[in-house]
Amino acid sequence: DVKVTQSSRYLVKRTGEKVFLECVQDMDHENMFWYRQDPGLGLRLIYFSYDVKMKEKGDIPEGYSVSREKKERFSLILESASTNQTSMYLCASSFAGTGETNEKLFFGSGTQLSVL
Amino acid sequence: AQSVTQLDSHVSVSEGTPVLLRCNYSSSYSPSLFWYVQHPNKGLQLLLKYTSAATLVKGINGFEAEFKKSETSFHLTKPSAHMSDAAEYFCVVIGAAGTDKLIFGTGTRLQVFP
């Protein structure tokens, strides 16, 4: 069964802390994505990666960075956490082949981050 | 730019009655459209997708959606709601042709009453 695993379900951090959110997928997918989900705003794309050591900014990259040192792992980094980064963070991955399969994203269960 | 608008933030139905979740899209080219569902404390799951084949798309759990170009709509329907359908539903469009960059709507929370 396909799996995208996010390391923490709930996380509480202090303002100014450096925060790492980890995501691992076991499907050998090339593409990985980080979204944040806020009530009334849906999901917004933060960063994505189509290959190891490759990253692209999404729609709201400010205050975030990412790391993809291995194909299966995609980390989201909050360099200096702020209260407006309190949110649900969702990781997703997808296959990069041609045809229909590359449009289906597999999501992790999410990390609810609270910044106090 | 591609976008989707979900017209209702909340929809409430009784078990056994039809479900209609509305979505309008904006696209400069023939879009690829999706519906995803998120059950409480679970990851998002693909319900169905439209990629310019048949305009009536059947998905999992009895859901279907019809692509109507003249109305720029992609509404999600189910003939008879079940308690297990209570969840949040997202209408989604591909952000740029040939990419996996998805643009999500703001979501519709479906409540099902016994």
Side-chain angles (χ1 to χ4, degrees), chain B:
Chain B
Q2 315 297 97
S3 67
V4 286
T5 301
Q6 292 185 245
L7 301 171
D8 307 291
S9 57
H10 289 86
V11 170
S12 297
V13 300
S14 298
E15 192 173 23
T17 64
V19 176
L20 170 64
L21 305 183
R22 298 183 295 164
C23 174
N24 287 350
Y25 69 89
S26 173
S27 177
S28 54
Y29 53 85
S30 182
S32 292
L33 293 158
F34 309 77
W35 277 96
Y36 276 80
V37 60
Q38 185 180 35
H39 287 95
N41 300 316
K42 297 268 182 77
L44 278 84
Q45 180 183 21
L46 179 67
L47 264 183
L48 51 81
K49 65 178 180 179
Y50 165 77
T51 53
S52 76
T55 56
L56 183 63
V57 183
K58 293 189 184 300
I60 61 172
N61 300 334
F63 284 93
E64 61 182 36
E66 187 171 7
F67 175 75
K68 291 187 176 180
K69 187 176 180 180
S70 60
E71 299 175 9
T72 62
S73 69
F74 189 58
H75 301 335
L76 182 70
T77 60
K78 183 174 181 178
S80 176
H82 192 271
M83 296 296 290
S84 61
D85 295 328
E88 186 145 27
Y89 292 80
F90 293 93
C91 183
V92 182
V93 66
I94 290 276
T99 76
D100 288 349
K101 187 178 174 185
L102 303 186
I103 306 296
F104 282 75
T106 52
T108 298
R109 183 162 296 280
L110 176 65
Q111 280 188 302
V112 181
F113 293 105

Side-chain angles (χ1 to χ4, degrees), chain A residues 51-95:
Chain A
D51 202 352
V52 175
K53 296 194 186 296
M54 175 270 177
K55 60 185 179 184
E56 293 269 356
K57 291 181 180 179
D59 299 317
I60 52 163
E62 297 77 19
Y64 303 94
S65 62
V66 289
S67 172
R68 188 143 182 225
E69 295 296 318
K70 293 185 178 181
K71 188 177 185 180
E72 67 271 17
R73 187 180 296 270
F74 192 36
S75 303
L76 180 69
I77 304 157
L78 285 66
E79 297 290 343
S80 177
S82 63
T83 54
N84 62 12
Q85 292 178 310
T86 291
S87 185
M88 170 69 79
Y89 290 87
L90 292 167
C91 175
S93 70
S94 70
F95 175 60

